[in-house]
Amino acid sequence: KDEEQQLMLHNRQFQQVNGLGEMFLSVFQRPGEGEEGQWLSLKEISACLKQEFGSAYQEDEGTFVKLGQFLSRPMYQFAVRRKTSGREYWVKER
């Protein structure tokens, strides 16, 4: 039981990524070939999600890490570029 509980606590952070990912995908998508998009930092993406979802979106110290991990998944293939201020992702609003 202790091991189960520890595993559930450990997995909770990944369950939150799914909700965060769903929020992200309801607002943004990956631009197709030749489509217009914009370079946004994780902070800018988070601000858009906060504006869209209000109190349902809770930004905490792990939010940027979770968003970055989600956007880096090979299945989504969001273009990324490194800037001195951090990474930016090529996204398109839905």
Coordinates of all heavy atoms in Angstrom, one line a residue:
K1 N 0.8 -1.2 0.0 CA 0.0 0.0 0.0 C 0.9 1.3 0.0 O 0.5 2.2 -0.7 CB -0.9 0.0 1.2 CG -2.1 -1.0 1.1 CD -3.3 -0.4 1.8 CE -4.4 -1.4 1.5 NZ -5.6 -0.7 1.0
D2 N 1.9 1.2 0.8 CA 2.8 2.4 0.8 C 3.4 2.7 -0.6 O 3.5 3.8 -1.0 CB 3.9 2.2 1.8 CG 3.4 2.3 3.2 OD1 2.4 2.9 3.4 OD2 4.1 1.8 4.1
E3 N 3.9 1.6 -1.3 CA 4.4 1.8 -2.6 C 3.4 2.3 -3.6 O 3.7 3.1 -4.4 CB 5.0 0.4 -3.1 CG 6.3 0.0 -2.4 CD 6.8 -1.3 -2.9 OE1 6.3 -1.8 -3.9 OE2 7.7 -1.9 -2.3
E4 N 2.2 1.8 -3.5 CA 1.1 2.2 -4.3 C 0.8 3.7 -4.1 O 0.7 4.5 -5.1 CB -0.2 1.5 -4.0 CG -0.5 0.3 -4.9 CD -1.8 -0.3 -4.6 OE1 -2.8 0.4 -4.7 OE2 -1.8 -1.5 -4.2
Q5 N 0.8 4.1 -2.9 CA 0.5 5.5 -2.6 C 1.7 6.4 -3.1 O 1.4 7.5 -3.7 CB 0.4 5.7 -1.1 CG -0.2 7.1 -0.7 CD -0.5 7.2 0.7 OE1 -0.2 6.3 1.5 NE2 -1.3 8.2 1.1
Q6 N 2.9 6.0 -2.9 CA 4.0 6.8 -3.4 C 4.0 6.9 -5.0 O 4.3 7.9 -5.5 CB 5.4 6.1 -3.0 CG 5.7 6.3 -1.5 CD 6.9 5.6 -1.1 OE1 7.4 4.8 -1.8 NE2 7.4 6.0 0.1
L7 N 3.6 5.8 -5.6 CA 3.5 5.8 -7.1 C 2.4 6.7 -7.5 O 2.6 7.5 -8.5 CB 3.3 4.4 -7.6 CG 3.3 4.2 -9.1 CD1 4.6 4.6 -9.7 CD2 3.0 2.7 -9.4
M8 N 1.3 6.7 -6.9 CA 0.2 7.6 -7.2 C 0.6 9.1 -7.0 O 0.3 9.9 -7.9 CB -1.0 7.3 -6.4 CG -1.7 6.0 -6.8 SD -3.0 5.5 -5.7 CE -4.2 6.8 -6.0
L9 N 1.3 9.4 -6.0 CA 1.8 10.7 -5.7 C 2.7 11.2 -6.8 O 2.7 12.3 -7.3 CB 2.4 10.9 -4.3 CG 1.4 10.9 -3.2 CD1 2.2 10.8 -1.9 CD2 0.5 12.1 -3.2
H10 N 3.6 10.3 -7.2 CA 4.6 10.5 -8.2 C 3.9 10.8 -9.6 O 4.3 11.7 -10.3 CB 5.6 9.4 -8.3 CG 6.6 9.6 -9.5 ND1 7.6 10.5 -9.4 CD2 6.7 8.9 -10.7 CE1 8.3 10.4 -10.5 NE2 7.7 9.5 -11.3
N11 N 2.9 10.0 -9.9 CA 2.2 10.1 -11.2 C 1.3 11.3 -11.2 O 0.9 11.7 -12.3 CB 1.5 8.8 -11.5 CG 2.4 7.7 -11.8 OD1 3.5 7.9 -12.2 ND2 1.9 6.5 -11.7
R12 N 0.9 11.9 -10.1 CA 0.0 13.0 -10.1 C 0.5 14.1 -11.0 O -0.2 14.8 -11.7 CB -0.2 13.5 -8.7 CG -1.3 14.6 -8.6 CD -1.6 15.0 -7.2 NE -2.2 13.9 -6.5 CZ -2.4 13.8 -5.2 NH1 -1.9 14.7 -4.5 NH2 -3.0 12.8 -4.7
Q13 N 1.8 14.4 -10.9 CA 2.4 15.5 -11.8 C 2.2 15.2 -13.3 O 2.0 16.1 -14.0 CB 3.9 15.7 -11.5 CG 4.7 14.5 -11.9 CD 6.2 14.7 -11.5 OE1 6.7 15.8 -11.5 NE2 6.9 13.6 -11.2
F14 N 2.2 14.0 -13.7 CA 2.0 13.7 -15.1 C 0.5 13.7 -15.4 O 0.2 14.1 -16.6 CB 2.5 12.3 -15.4 CG 4.0 12.2 -15.1 CD1 4.5 11.5 -14.1 CD2 4.9 12.9 -15.9 CE1 5.8 11.4 -13.8 CE2 6.3 12.8 -15.7 CZ 6.7 12.1 -14.6
Q15 N -0.4 13.5 -14.5 CA -1.8 13.6 -14.8 C -2.1 15.1 -15.0 O -3.0 15.4 -15.8 CB -2.6 13.0 -13.6 CG -2.5 11.5 -13.5 CD -3.1 11.0 -12.1 OE1 -3.4 11.8 -11.3 NE2 -3.1 9.7 -12.0
Q16 N -1.5 16.0 -14.3 CA -1.7 17.4 -14.5 C -1.3 17.8 -15.9 O -1.9 18.7 -16.4 CB -1.0 18.2 -13.4 CG -1.7 18.0 -12.0 CD -0.9 18.6 -10.9 OE1 0.2 19.1 -11.1 NE2 -1.4 18.6 -9.7
V17 N -0.2 17.2 -16.4 CA 0.2 17.6 -17.7 C -0.8 17.3 -18.7 O -1.0 18.1 -19.7 CB 1.5 16.8 -18.1 CG1 1.9 17.0 -19.5 CG2 2.7 17.3 -17.2
N18 N -1.6 16.3 -18.6 CA -2.7 16.0 -19.5 C -3.7 17.1 -19.5 O -4.1 17.5 -20.6 CB -3.4 14.6 -19.2 CG -2.4 13.5 -19.5 OD1 -1.5 13.6 -20.3 ND2 -2.7 12.4 -18.8
G19 N -4.2 17.6 -18.4 CA -5.1 18.7 -18.3 C -4.5 19.9 -18.9 O -5.2 20.7 -19.6
L20 N -3.3 20.2 -18.6 CA -2.6 21.4 -19.1 C -2.4 21.2 -20.6 O -2.6 22.2 -21.3 CB -1.2 21.5 -18.4 CG -0.4 22.7 -18.6 CD1 -1.2 24.0 -18.2 CD2 0.9 22.6 -17.8
G21 N -2.1 20.0 -21.1 CA -2.0 19.8 -22.5 C -3.3 20.0 -23.2 O -3.3 20.6 -24.3
E22 N -4.4 19.5 -22.6 CA -5.7 19.7 -23.2 C -6.0 21.2 -23.3 O -6.6 21.6 -24.3 CB -6.7 18.9 -22.4 CG -6.6 17.4 -22.6 CD -7.6 16.7 -21.7 OE1 -8.5 17.3 -21.1 OE2 -7.5 15.5 -21.6
M23 N -5.7 21.9 -22.3 CA -6.0 23.4 -22.3 C -5.2 24.0 -23.4 O -5.7 24.8 -24.2 CB -5.6 24.0 -21.0 CG -6.5 23.7 -19.8 SD -6.0 24.6 -18.4 CE -7.3 24.2 -17.2
F24 N -3.9 23.6 -23.5 CA -3.0 24.2 -24.5 C -3.6 23.9 -25.9 O -3.7 24.8 -26.8 CB -1.6 23.6 -24.4 CG -0.7 24.1 -25.5 CD1 -0.1 25.3 -25.5 CD2 -0.5 23.3 -26.7 CE1 0.7 25.7 -26.6 CE2 0.2 23.7 -27.7 CZ 0.9 24.9 -27.7
L25 N -3.9 22.6 -26.2 CA -4.4 22.2 -27.5 C -5.8 22.8 -27.8 O -6.1 22.8 -29.0 CB -4.4 20.7 -27.6 CG -3.0 20.1 -27.6 CD1 -3.1 18.5 -27.6 CD2 -2.2 20.5 -28.8
S26 N -6.5 23.3 -26.9 CA -7.8 23.9 -27.2 C -7.6 25.4 -27.6 O -8.5 25.9 -28.2 CB -8.8 23.8 -26.0 OG -8.3 24.7 -25.0
V27 N -6.4 25.9 -27.3 CA -6.1 27.3 -27.7 C -5.2 27.4 -28.8 O -5.3 28.3 -29.7 CB -5.6 28.1 -26.4 CG1 -5.2 29.5 -26.8 CG2 -6.6 28.1 -25.3
F28 N -4.2 26.5 -28.9 CA -3.1 26.6 -29.9 C -3.0 25.3 -30.7 O -3.5 24.2 -30.2 CB -1.7 26.8 -29.2 CG -1.6 28.1 -28.4 CD1 -1.7 28.1 -27.1 CD2 -1.4 29.3 -29.1 CE1 -1.6 29.3 -26.4 CE2 -1.3 30.4 -28.4 CZ -1.4 30.5 -27.1
Q29 N -2.4 25.4 -31.8 CA -2.1 24.2 -32.6 C -0.7 24.4 -33.3 O -0.2 25.6 -33.3 CB -3.1 24.0 -33.7 CG -3.2 25.1 -34.7 CD -4.4 24.8 -35.7 OE1 -5.3 24.1 -35.4 NE2 -4.3 25.4 -36.8
R30 N -0.2 23.4 -33.8 CA 1.1 23.5 -34.6 C 0.7 24.0 -36.0 O -0.1 23.4 -36.7 CB 1.8 22.2 -34.7 CG 3.1 22.2 -35.4 CD 3.8 20.9 -35.3 NE 3.0 19.8 -35.8 CZ 3.0 19.4 -37.1 NH1 3.8 20.0 -38.0 NH2 2.3 18.3 -37.5
P31 N 1.4 25.1 -36.4 CA 1.1 25.6 -37.8 C 1.5 24.6 -38.8 O 2.6 23.9 -38.7 CB 2.0 26.9 -37.9 CG 2.3 27.3 -36.5 CD 2.3 26.0 -35.7
G32 N 0.7 24.4 -39.8 CA 1.0 23.5 -40.9 C 2.1 24.2 -41.8 O 2.5 25.3 -41.7
E33 N 2.6 23.4 -42.8 CA 3.6 23.9 -43.8 C 3.1 25.1 -44.5 O 2.0 25.2 -45.0 CB 3.8 22.8 -44.8 CG 5.0 23.1 -45.7 CD 6.3 23.0 -45.0 OE1 6.5 22.2 -44.1 OE2 7.3 23.7 -45.4
G34 N 3.8 26.2 -44.3 CA 3.5 27.5 -45.0 C 2.5 28.3 -44.2 O 2.1 29.4 -44.7
E35 N 1.9 27.8 -43.1 CA 1.0 28.6 -42.4 C 1.6 29.6 -41.5 O 2.8 29.4 -41.0 CB 0.1 27.7 -41.5 CG -0.9 26.9 -42.3 CD -1.9 26.1 -41.4 OE1 -1.4 25.7 -40.3 OE2 -3.0 26.0 -41.7
E36 N 0.9 30.7 -41.2 CA 1.4 31.7 -40.3 C 1.4 31.2 -38.9 O 0.5 30.4 -38.5 CB 0.6 33.0 -40.4 CG 0.8 33.7 -41.7 CD 2.2 34.3 -41.8 OE1 2.7 34.9 -40.8 OE2 2.8 34.2 -42.9
G37 N 2.3 31.6 -38.1 CA 2.3 31.3 -36.6 C 3.0 32.4 -35.9 O 3.3 33.5 -36.5
Q38 N 3.3 32.2 -34.7 CA 4.1 33.2 -33.9 C 5.0 32.4 -32.9 O 4.6 31.4 -32.4 CB 3.1 34.1 -33.2 CG 2.1 33.5 -32.3 CD 1.1 34.5 -31.7 OE1 1.4 35.6 -31.6 NE2 -0.1 34.0 -31.4
W39 N 6.1 33.1 -32.6 CA 7.0 32.5 -31.6 C 6.6 33.1 -30.2 O 6.5 34.3 -30.0 CB 8.4 33.0 -31.9 CG 9.0 32.4 -33.1 CD1 9.2 33.0 -34.3 CD2 9.5 31.0 -33.2 NE1 9.8 32.1 -35.2 CE2 10.0 30.9 -34.5 CE3 9.6 30.0 -32.3 CZ2 10.5 29.7 -35.0 CZ3 10.1 28.8 -32.8 CH2 10.6 28.6 -34.1
L40 N 6.2 32.1 -29.3 CA 5.8 32.5 -28.0 C 6.7 31.8 -27.0 O 7.0 30.6 -27.1 CB 4.3 32.2 -27.7 CG 3.3 32.9 -28.5 CD1 1.9 32.4 -28.2 CD2 3.4 34.4 -28.3
S41 N 7.0 32.5 -25.9 CA 7.7 31.9 -24.8 C 6.7 31.2 -23.9 O 5.5 31.3 -24.0 CB 8.4 33.0 -23.9 OG 7.4 33.8 -23.3
L42 N 7.2 30.3 -23.0 CA 6.3 29.6 -22.1 C 5.5 30.6 -21.2 O 4.3 30.4 -20.9 CB 7.1 28.6 -21.2 CG 7.7 27.5 -22.0 CD1 8.5 26.6 -21.0 CD2 6.6 26.6 -22.6
K43 N 6.1 31.7 -20.9 CA 5.4 32.7 -20.1 C 4.3 33.3 -20.9 O 3.2 33.5 -20.3 CB 6.4 33.8 -19.6 CG 5.9 34.8 -18.7 CD 7.0 35.7 -18.2 CE 6.4 36.7 -17.2 NZ 7.4 37.6 -16.6
E44 N 4.5 33.6 -22.1 CA 3.4 34.2 -23.0 C 2.3 33.1 -23.2 O 1.1 33.5 -23.2 CB 4.0 34.6 -24.3 CG 4.9 35.8 -24.2 CD 5.7 36.1 -25.4 OE1 6.2 35.1 -26.1 OE2 5.9 37.3 -25.7
I45 N 2.7 31.9 -23.4 CA 1.7 30.8 -23.6 C 0.9 30.7 -22.3 O -0.4 30.6 -22.3 CB 2.3 29.5 -23.9 CG1 2.9 29.6 -25.3 CG2 1.4 28.3 -23.8 CD1 3.8 28.4 -25.7
S46 N 1.5 30.7 -21.2 CA 0.8 30.6 -19.9 C -0.1 31.8 -19.7 O -1.2 31.6 -19.2 CB 1.9 30.6 -18.7 OG 1.2 30.4 -17.5
A47 N 0.3 33.0 -20.1 CA -0.6 34.2 -19.9 C -1.8 34.0 -20.8 O -2.9 34.4 -20.4 CB 0.2 35.4 -20.3
C48 N -1.7 33.5 -22.0 CA -2.8 33.2 -22.9 C -3.8 32.2 -22.3 O -5.0 32.4 -22.3 CB -2.4 32.7 -24.3 SG -1.6 34.0 -25.2
L49 N -3.2 31.1 -21.7 CA -4.1 30.1 -21.1 C -4.8 30.7 -19.8 O -6.0 30.4 -19.6 CB -3.2 28.9 -20.7 CG -2.6 28.1 -21.8 CD1 -1.7 27.0 -21.3 CD2 -3.7 27.6 -22.8
K50 N -4.1 31.5 -19.1 CA -4.7 32.1 -17.9 C -5.9 33.0 -18.4 O -7.0 33.1 -17.7 CB -3.7 32.9 -17.1 CG -4.2 33.4 -15.8 CD -3.0 34.0 -15.0 CE -3.3 34.0 -13.5 NZ -2.2 34.2 -12.7
Q51 N -5.7 33.8 -19.4 CA -6.7 34.7 -19.9 C -7.9 33.9 -20.5 O -9.1 34.2 -20.2 CB -6.2 35.5 -21.1 CG -7.2 36.5 -21.6 CD -6.6 37.4 -22.7 OE1 -5.4 37.3 -23.0 NE2 -7.4 38.2 -23.4
E52 N -7.6 32.8 -21.1 CA -8.7 31.9 -21.7 C -9.5 31.2 -20.7 O -10.7 31.1 -20.7 CB -8.1 30.9 -22.7 CG -9.1 30.0 -23.4 CD -9.9 30.7 -24.4 OE1 -9.5 31.8 -24.9 OE2 -11.0 30.2 -24.7
F53 N -8.8 30.6 -19.7 CA -9.5 29.7 -18.7 C -9.7 30.3 -17.3 O -10.3 29.7 -16.5 CB -8.7 28.4 -18.6 CG -8.6 27.6 -19.8 CD1 -7.6 27.6 -20.7 CD2 -9.7 26.8 -20.2 CE1 -7.5 26.9 -21.9 CE2 -9.7 26.1 -21.4 CZ -8.6 26.1 -22.2
G54 N -9.2 31.5 -17.1 CA -9.4 32.1 -15.8 C -8.9 31.3 -14.6 O -7.8 30.8 -14.6
S55 N -9.8 31.2 -13.6 CA -9.4 30.5 -12.4 C -9.3 29.0 -12.6 O -8.7 28.3 -11.7 CB -10.4 30.7 -11.3 OG -11.7 30.2 -11.6
A56 N -9.7 28.4 -13.7 CA -9.6 27.0 -14.0 C -8.1 26.7 -14.3 O -7.7 25.5 -14.2 CB -10.4 26.5 -15.1
Y57 N -7.4 27.7 -14.7 CA -5.9 27.5 -15.0 C -5.1 28.0 -13.8 O -5.2 29.2 -13.4 CB -5.5 28.3 -16.3 CG -4.1 28.3 -16.6 CD1 -3.5 27.2 -17.2 CD2 -3.3 29.4 -16.3 CE1 -2.2 27.1 -17.4 CE2 -1.9 29.3 -16.6 CZ -1.4 28.2 -17.1 OH 0.0 28.2 -17.4
Q58 N -4.4 27.1 -13.2 CA -3.6 27.4 -12.0 C -2.1 27.4 -12.4 O -1.6 26.3 -12.7 CB -3.9 26.5 -10.9 CG -5.3 26.6 -10.4 CD -5.6 27.9 -9.8 OE1 -4.8 28.5 -9.0 NE2 -6.8 28.5 -10.1
E59 N -1.5 28.5 -12.4 CA 0.0 28.6 -12.7 C 0.7 28.4 -11.3 O 0.4 29.1 -10.4 CB 0.3 29.9 -13.3 CG 1.8 30.0 -13.7 CD 2.0 31.4 -14.4 OE1 1.5 31.6 -15.5 OE2 2.7 32.2 -13.7
D60 N 1.6 27.4 -11.3 CA 2.5 27.2 -10.1 C 3.9 27.1 -10.6 O 4.2 27.3 -11.8 CB 2.0 26.0 -9.3 CG 2.1 24.7 -10.1 OD1 2.9 24.5 -11.0 OD2 1.2 23.8 -9.8
E61 N 4.8 26.8 -9.7 CA 6.2 26.8 -10.0 C 6.6 25.7 -11.0 O 7.6 25.8 -11.7 CB 7.1 26.6 -8.7 CG 6.8 25.3 -8.0 CD 7.6 25.2 -6.7 OE1 7.5 26.2 -5.9 OE2 8.2 24.2 -6.5
G62 N 5.8 24.7 -11.2 CA 6.0 23.6 -12.1 C 5.4 23.8 -13.5 O 5.6 23.0 -14.4
T63 N 4.5 24.8 -13.6 CA 3.8 25.0 -14.8 C 4.6 25.1 -16.1 O 4.4 24.4 -17.1 CB 2.8 26.2 -14.7 OG1 2.0 26.0 -13.6 CG2 2.0 26.4 -16.0
F64 N 5.7 25.9 -16.0 CA 6.5 26.1 -17.2 C 7.3 24.8 -17.6 O 7.4 24.5 -18.7 CB 7.5 27.3 -17.0 CG 6.8 28.6 -16.8 CD1 7.2 29.4 -15.7 CD2 5.8 29.0 -17.6 CE1 6.5 30.6 -15.5 CE2 5.1 30.2 -17.4 CZ 5.5 31.0 -16.4
V65 N 7.7 24.1 -16.6 CA 8.4 22.8 -16.9 C 7.4 21.8 -17.5 O 7.7 21.2 -18.5 CB 8.9 22.2 -15.6 CG1 9.5 20.8 -15.8 CG2 10.0 23.1 -15.0
K66 N 6.2 21.8 -17.0 CA 5.2 20.8 -17.6 C 4.8 21.2 -19.0 O 4.7 20.4 -19.9 CB 3.9 20.8 -16.7 CG 4.2 20.2 -15.3 CD 3.0 20.4 -14.4 CE 3.4 20.0 -13.0 NZ 2.3 20.3 -12.0
L67 N 4.6 22.5 -19.2 CA 4.3 23.0 -20.6 C 5.5 22.7 -21.5 O 5.2 22.2 -22.6 CB 4.1 24.5 -20.5 CG 2.7 25.0 -20.3 CD1 2.6 26.5 -20.2 CD2 1.7 24.6 -21.4
G68 N 6.7 23.0 -21.1 CA 7.8 22.7 -21.9 C 8.0 21.2 -22.2 O 8.2 20.8 -23.4
Q69 N 7.7 20.3 -21.3 CA 7.7 18.9 -21.5 C 6.7 18.5 -22.5 O 6.9 17.7 -23.4 CB 7.6 18.1 -20.2 CG 8.8 18.2 -19.3 CD 8.5 17.6 -17.9 OE1 7.4 17.4 -17.5 NE2 9.6 17.3 -17.2
F70 N 5.5 19.1 -22.3 CA 4.4 18.7 -23.2 C 4.7 19.1 -24.7 O 4.5 18.4 -25.6 CB 3.1 19.4 -22.8 CG 1.9 19.2 -23.6 CD1 1.2 18.0 -23.5 CD2 1.5 20.1 -24.6 CE1 0.1 17.7 -24.3 CE2 0.4 19.8 -25.4 CZ -0.3 18.6 -25.3
L71 N 5.2 20.4 -24.8 CA 5.5 20.9 -26.2 C 6.7 20.1 -26.8 O 6.8 20.2 -28.0 CB 5.8 22.4 -26.1 CG 4.6 23.2 -25.8 CD1 5.0 24.6 -25.5 CD2 3.6 23.2 -26.9
S72 N 7.5 19.5 -26.0 CA 8.7 18.8 -26.5 C 8.4 17.4 -26.9 O 9.3 16.7 -27.5 CB 9.8 18.8 -25.5 OG 10.2 20.1 -25.2
R73 N 7.2 16.9 -26.7 CA 6.8 15.5 -27.1 C 6.9 15.4 -28.6 O 6.4 16.2 -29.3 CB 5.4 15.2 -26.6 CG 5.3 15.1 -25.1 CD 3.9 14.7 -24.7 NE 3.8 14.6 -23.3 CZ 2.7 14.3 -22.6 NH1 1.6 14.1 -23.3 NH2 2.7 14.2 -21.3
P74 N 7.5 14.3 -29.0 CA 7.7 14.1 -30.5 C 6.4 14.0 -31.2 O 6.4 14.4 -32.4 CB 8.4 12.7 -30.6 CG 9.0 12.5 -29.2 CD 8.2 13.2 -28.2
M75 N 5.3 13.6 -30.6 CA 4.0 13.5 -31.3 C 3.5 14.8 -31.7 O 2.7 14.9 -32.6 CB 3.0 12.7 -30.5 CG 2.6 13.4 -29.2 SD 1.5 12.4 -28.2 CE 2.7 11.5 -27.3
Y76 N 3.9 15.9 -31.1 CA 3.4 17.3 -31.4 C 4.3 18.0 -32.3 O 3.8 18.9 -33.1 CB 3.1 18.0 -30.1 CG 2.0 17.4 -29.3 CD1 2.3 16.9 -28.0 CD2 0.7 17.1 -29.8 CE1 1.4 16.2 -27.3 CE2 -0.2 16.5 -29.0 CZ 0.1 16.0 -27.8 OH -0.8 15.4 -27.0
Q77 N 5.6 17.8 -32.2 CA 6.6 18.4 -33.1 C 6.5 19.9 -33.2 O 6.5 20.5 -34.3 CB 6.5 17.8 -34.5 CG 6.8 16.3 -34.4 CD 6.7 15.7 -35.8 OE1 6.2 16.2 -36.8 NE2 7.2 14.4 -35.9
F78 N 6.3 20.6 -32.1 CA 6.4 22.1 -32.1 C 7.8 22.6 -32.4 O 8.7 22.1 -31.7 CB 5.8 22.7 -30.8 CG 4.3 22.6 -30.8 CD1 3.7 21.6 -30.1 CD2 3.5 23.6 -31.3 CE1 2.3 21.5 -30.1 CE2 2.1 23.6 -31.3 CZ 1.5 22.5 -30.6
A79 N 8.0 23.5 -33.3 CA 9.3 24.0 -33.5 C 9.7 24.9 -32.3 O 8.9 25.5 -31.7 CB 9.3 24.9 -34.8
V80 N 11.0 24.8 -32.0 CA 11.5 25.5 -30.8 C 12.7 26.2 -31.2 O 13.5 25.8 -32.0 CB 11.7 24.6 -29.6 CG1 12.7 23.5 -29.9 CG2 12.1 25.3 -28.4
R81 N 12.9 27.4 -30.7 CA 14.2 28.1 -30.8 C 14.6 28.7 -29.5 O 13.8 29.0 -28.6 CB 14.1 29.3 -31.9 CG 13.2 30.4 -31.4 CD 13.2 31.5 -32.5 NE 12.4 32.6 -32.0 CZ 12.1 33.7 -32.8 NH1 12.5 33.7 -34.0 NH2 11.4 34.7 -32.3
R82 N 15.9 28.7 -29.3 CA 16.5 29.2 -28.1 C 16.9 30.7 -28.2 O 17.4 31.1 -29.2 CB 17.7 28.4 -27.7 CG 17.4 26.9 -27.4 CD 18.7 26.2 -27.2 NE 18.5 24.8 -27.2 CZ 18.6 24.0 -26.1 NH1 19.1 24.5 -25.0 NH2 18.3 22.7 -26.2
K83 N 16.4 31.4 -27.2 CA 16.8 32.8 -27.1 C 17.5 33.0 -25.8 O 17.5 32.1 -24.9 CB 15.5 33.7 -27.1 CG 14.6 33.5 -28.3 CD 15.2 34.1 -29.5 CE 14.8 35.5 -29.6 NZ 15.2 36.2 -30.8
T84 N 18.1 34.1 -25.6 CA 18.8 34.4 -24.3 C 17.8 34.4 -23.1 O 18.2 34.1 -22.0 CB 19.6 35.7 -24.3 OG1 18.7 36.7 -24.7 CG2 20.7 35.6 -25.3
S85 N 16.6 34.7 -23.4 CA 15.5 34.8 -22.4 C 14.9 33.4 -22.1 O 14.0 33.3 -21.3 CB 14.5 35.8 -22.7 OG 13.9 35.5 -24.0
G86 N 15.2 32.4 -23.0 CA 14.6 31.1 -22.8 C 14.2 30.6 -24.2 O 14.5 31.1 -25.2
R87 N 13.4 29.5 -24.2 CA 12.9 28.9 -25.4 C 11.6 29.6 -25.8 O 10.8 30.0 -25.0 CB 12.6 27.4 -25.2 CG 13.9 26.7 -24.9 CD 13.6 25.2 -24.7 NE 14.9 24.5 -24.4 CZ 15.1 23.3 -24.6 NH1 14.1 22.5 -25.1 NH2 16.2 22.7 -24.4
E88 N 11.4 29.6 -27.2 CA 10.2 30.0 -27.8 C 9.7 29.0 -28.7 O 10.4 28.2 -29.3 CB 10.4 31.3 -28.6 CG 10.7 32.5 -27.7 CD 10.9 33.8 -28.5 OE1 11.3 33.7 -29.7 OE2 10.7 34.9 -28.0
Y89 N 8.3 28.8 -28.8 CA 7.7 27.8 -29.5 C 6.9 28.4 -30.7 O 6.2 29.4 -30.5 CB 6.8 26.9 -28.6 CG 7.6 26.2 -27.6 CD1 8.0 26.8 -26.4 CD2 8.1 24.9 -27.8 CE1 8.7 26.2 -25.4 CE2 8.9 24.3 -26.9 CZ 9.2 24.9 -25.7 OH 10.0 24.3 -24.7
W90 N 6.9 27.8 -31.8 CA 6.2 28.2 -33.0 C 4.8 27.7 -32.9 O 4.6 26.5 -33.1 CB 6.9 27.8 -34.3 CG 6.3 28.2 -35.6 CD1 5.8 27.5 -36.5 CD2 6.3 29.6 -36.1 NE1 5.4 28.2 -37.6 CE2 5.7 29.5 -37.3 CE3 6.7 30.8 -35.6 CZ2 5.4 30.7 -38.1 CZ3 6.5 31.9 -36.3 CH2 5.9 31.9 -37.6
V91 N 3.8 28.5 -32.7 CA 2.4 28.1 -32.4 C 1.5 28.9 -33.3 O 1.8 30.0 -33.7 CB 2.0 28.1 -30.9 CG1 2.9 27.2 -30.1 CG2 2.1 29.6 -30.4
K92 N 0.2 28.4 -33.4 CA -0.8 29.2 -34.1 C -2.1 29.1 -33.2 O -2.4 28.0 -32.7 CB -1.1 28.5 -35.4 CG -2.2 29.1 -36.2 CD -2.4 28.3 -37.5 CE -3.7 28.8 -38.2 NZ -4.0 28.0 -39.4
E93 N -2.7 30.2 -33.0 CA -4.0 30.2 -32.2 C -5.1 29.5 -33.1 O -5.1 29.7 -34.3 CB -4.4 31.6 -31.8 CG -3.4 32.2 -30.8 CD -4.0 33.4 -30.2 OE1 -5.2 33.5 -29.8 OE2 -3.1 34.4 -30.0
R94 N -5.9 28.8 -32.4 CA -7.1 28.2 -33.1 C -8.2 29.1 -33.3 O -8.4 30.1 -32.7 CB -7.6 27.0 -32.2 CG -6.7 25.9 -32.1 CD -7.4 24.7 -31.5 NE -6.4 23.6 -31.4 CZ -6.4 22.6 -32.4 NH1 -7.1 22.7 -33.4 NH2 -5.5 21.7 -32.3

